[in-house]
Amino acid sequence: MAGAPEVRGASLRELAAGVAAGRWKSRDLVDAYLDRIKRLDEKLGCFLLVDAAGARQAADAIDRKVAAGDSVGPLAGVPIGLKDIFVTRGMETTAGSKILKGFIPPYESTVSGRLAAAGAINLGKINMDEFAMGSSNENSAYKPVRNPWDLERVPGGSSGGSAAALAASLCAGTLGTDTGGSIRQPASLCGIVGVKPTYGRVSRYGVIAFASSLDHPGPFGRTVEDAAALLEVIAGHDPMDSTSIPQPAGSYVKACSAGIAGLRIGMPKEYFQSGMDPEIEAAVRAAIDELGRAGAKVVPVSLPHTQYAIATYYLICTAEASSNLARYDGVRYGHRTAEAASLEELYAKTRGEGFGKEPKRRIILGTYVLRAGYYEAYYGKALRVRRLIANDFSAAFNECDVLVTPTSPTPAFKLGERSADPLEMYLADIYTVAPPLAGVPALSQCCGFTRSGLPIGLQTIGPALGEEAVFRVAGAYQARTDWHKRLPQDVP
Ligand code: GLN
């Protein structure tokens, strides 16, 4: 036994292989990551809860199994972290909100259960924008998260804590949720891989709801293979989620090395308009050239309803959020106001005290667009435009196998820079909101750095159920480039 390997920059798959082969102990990996969390996370703010004792206990159990020669799962012994939107039995789950402070779930989300069954070790619960509403992690009711590449900047959101924790090697893999970009945009801003699968591919059972028709749980990985390995474990039908699709998980890791000879890559012209950030445009165009050299054929395509995606997204997500968040009434979960003279006052005071600014804004907007007199004008219209956006993708996928675009219109911005103007914040999602509206899979990976050293993301979008094609492209690009090997400095 050689002791723990260097976990900074380590790949989840390599760590798992080493545990299974008895080259190192899961317990040593857990201790190494806990030590990094202790040294680095006070500045970064990634974790809301660290379960050191539980993680050590689970790691020891894996080590005993390996020593006894018992078979262990594909993720045996690797320390991961969970966005605090996944409910964990017996472990406080807040969705980044004060209204859920003290909520100890009596059950486990399907995906965190599957990770545990595959042998992954949960280090704890990770910071996020309140109820996954945000693009900077500044909407967390607890604390902001800082970007490990530049502590003055945001990590993106709403899964900003997950992306930052992985980028800073505070865990070997993480899960997030993506409703309008919340996996891909923080992956882009933190220089790692993030995957939003096809809608229904990954169960939402036990995932605290924001906008149910748009919520997609998915993985973050340091490499495309790491993300693929996590997706293989969490994907697949779940009878506990009525929108879960029956198709079994695919062979995503294998797809990463399948090559892209002859694959048709579509460049949607609406995603490459004049006025783009020049460094982002240059990096993404260079990446597309690289894919061309790897054997793909690049074709121009059009997604004509792209300009309506942000408005459509914010109508639908606020409508669904206003309905989903109605359950926080001070009776069933978490926070309850100290004193109330009537039931109505109990609701009003609990919700007034428990929700932060952004959920309140969205509840009000969502209630407005669902009102009897406005339903047709706003919500009904948005549903029809959503269909047109989905049709755009179907038409484009007649001409190409995948689409390639930037993930985020800008690199990581400064903390506070956009928090005063919600509209400006909403524009951070301009390239990421359409795929969830259409339910199609999409991945972000690093394709370069700005002159000031900030990561730039490349987005690959596939047709529904086309995750393999997305991983083929991402794997081919990664094989020809070194961006994924760069690491941020440790700043204790
Ligand atoms: N930033 C978007 C929003 O605020 C997307 C969030 C998400 O994907 N959860 O709604």
Side-chain angles (χ1 to χ4, degrees):
M1 184 73 52
E6 172 59 82
V7 297
R8 178 166 176 256
S11 132
L12 163 125
R13 291 179 68 238
E14 281 162 26
L15 292 180
V19 170
R23 276 201 300 283
W24 46 70
K25 287 188 170 179
S26 174
R27 174 60 183 263
D28 291 331
L29 299 181
V30 165
D31 285 338
Y33 281 110
L34 288 173
D35 178 61
R36 291 185 62 80
I37 292 171
K38 204 162 156 193
R39 280 194 293 121
L40 305 171
D41 202 37
E42 199 166 323
K43 278 237 173 79
L44 291 169
C46 296
F47 278 84
L48 292 176
L49 181 155
V50 176
D51 180 22
R56 289 194 173 109
Q57 208 177 9
D60 289 344
I62 294 281
D63 291 331
R64 279 196 299 273
K65 272 193 176 175
V66 173
D70 295 348
S71 70
V72 291
L75 302 178
V78 290
I80 54 133
L82 295 171
K83 183 179 184 179
D84 201 24
I85 200 163
F86 296 95
V87 306
T88 38
R89 190 204 309 266
M91 187 186 289
E92 187 181 18
T93 302
T94 68
S97 181
K98 288 262 147 88
I99 210 160
L100 277 173
K101 196 165 172 38
F103 170 54
I104 311 283
Y107 71 112
E108 186 81 19
S109 79
T110 295
V111 292
S112 53
R114 287 187 183 176
L115 286 176
I121 311 291
N122 182 23
L123 293 175
K125 305 303 288 288
I126 294 186
N127 202 355
M128 57 181 281
D129 281 312
E130 186 170 358
F131 287 107
M133 298 169 179
S135 306
S136 69
N137 224 114
E138 292 163 296
N139 293 340
S140 164
Y142 296 95
K143 55 187 174 183
V145 174
R146 291 171 182 274
N147 190 316
W149 293 95
D150 178 346
L151 297 179
E152 299 297 301
R153 292 177 189 268
V154 303
S158 65
S159 315
S162 299
L166 181 57
S169 302
L170 304 186
C171 56
T174 54
L175 293 192
T177 54
D178 190 314
T179 304
S182 279
I183 291 176
R184 293 159 290 148
Q185 185 256 12
S188 172
L189 269 45
C190 291
I192 55 169
V193 178
V195 185
K196 183 202 84 64
T198 303
Y199 184 73
R201 175 74 88 188
V202 175
S203 170
R204 290 184 296 107
Y205 180 70
V207 181
I208 293 174
F210 160 17
S212 308
S213 79
L214 291 160
D215 292 343
H216 299 68
F220 288 94
R222 180 166 302 290
T223 63
V224 292
E225 291 86 355
D226 281 1
L230 285 165
L231 185 59
E232 284 184 13
V233 167
I234 62 174
H237 184 247
D238 177 14
M240 300 303 281
D241 173 0
S242 62
T243 59
S244 165
I245 55 176
Q247 284 81 356
S251 300
Y252 308 127
V253 175
K254 219 167 116 197
C256 294
S257 54
I260 54 169
L263 206 81
R264 294 163 307 162
I265 292 186
M267 262 179 91
K269 67 167 194 250
E270 292 78 5
Y271 286 65
F272 293 87
Q273 303 267 354
S274 63
M276 285 175 82
D277 179 301
E279 286 185 294
I280 290 188
E281 179 171 13
V284 171
R285 285 188 186 272
I288 293 172
D289 291 345
E290 195 62 53
L291 292 171
R293 285 190 287 277
K297 193 169 161 248
V298 180
V299 295
V301 297
S302 172
L303 300 168
H305 296 92
T306 298
Q307 58 174 311
Y308 305 114
I310 291 258
T312 305
Y313 169 79
Y314 277 98
L315 286 170
I316 294 175
C317 85
T318 54
E320 293 187 17
S322 71
S323 160
N324 274 326
L325 270 48
R327 72 189 69 174
Y328 303 105
D329 55 7
V331 178
R332 286 171 289 187
Y333 315 88
H335 176 73
R336 177 181 303 167
T337 192
E339 244 177 273
S342 66
L343 186 61
E344 196 163 317
E345 195 182 316
L346 173 86
Y347 293 160
K349 281 181 73 182
T350 296
R351 289 166 68 82
E353 292 161 9
F355 285 129
K357 242 191 183 152
E358 189 61 27
K360 281 181 185 156
R361 180 181 292 128
R362 295 195 191 200
I363 289 168
I364 292 169
L365 273 169
T367 310
Y368 182 85
V369 305
L370 289 176
R371 273 180 59 166
Y374 299 127
Y375 184 96
E376 264 311 308
Y378 294 112
Y379 184 67
K381 253 284 164 43
L383 290 183
R384 287 195 286 277
V385 180
R386 180 179 195 175
R387 170 50 55 197
L388 296 176
I389 290 169
N391 290 349
D392 280 358
F393 281 100
S394 306
F397 289 125
N398 286 328
E399 291 164 48
C400 63
D401 300 298
V402 297
L403 298 161
V404 173
T405 77
T407 308
S408 162
T410 63
F413 43 94
K414 293 227 162 92
L415 274 104
E417 195 178 308
R418 299 194 186 176
S419 35
D421 181 354
L423 270 183
E424 208 194 325
M425 191 68 92
Y426 294 172
L427 291 176
D429 307 318
I430 192 131
Y431 299 134
T432 51
V433 291
L437 285 167
V440 297
L443 174 152
S444 181
Q445 71 193 124
C446 187
C447 69
F449 286 81
T450 64
R451 275 183 298 276
S452 51
L454 299 171
I456 297 173
L458 174 73
Q459 174 171 241
T460 304
I461 307 169
L465 303 176
E467 280 85 355
E468 276 94 346
V470 171
F471 279 112
R472 280 174 66 193
V473 172
Y477 180 72
Q478 182 183 273
R480 302 173 72 91
T481 50
D482 278 339
W483 307 116
H484 62 288
K485 293 185 184 147
R486 283 210 203 173
L487 297 174
Q489 296 285 326
D490 282 351
V491 186

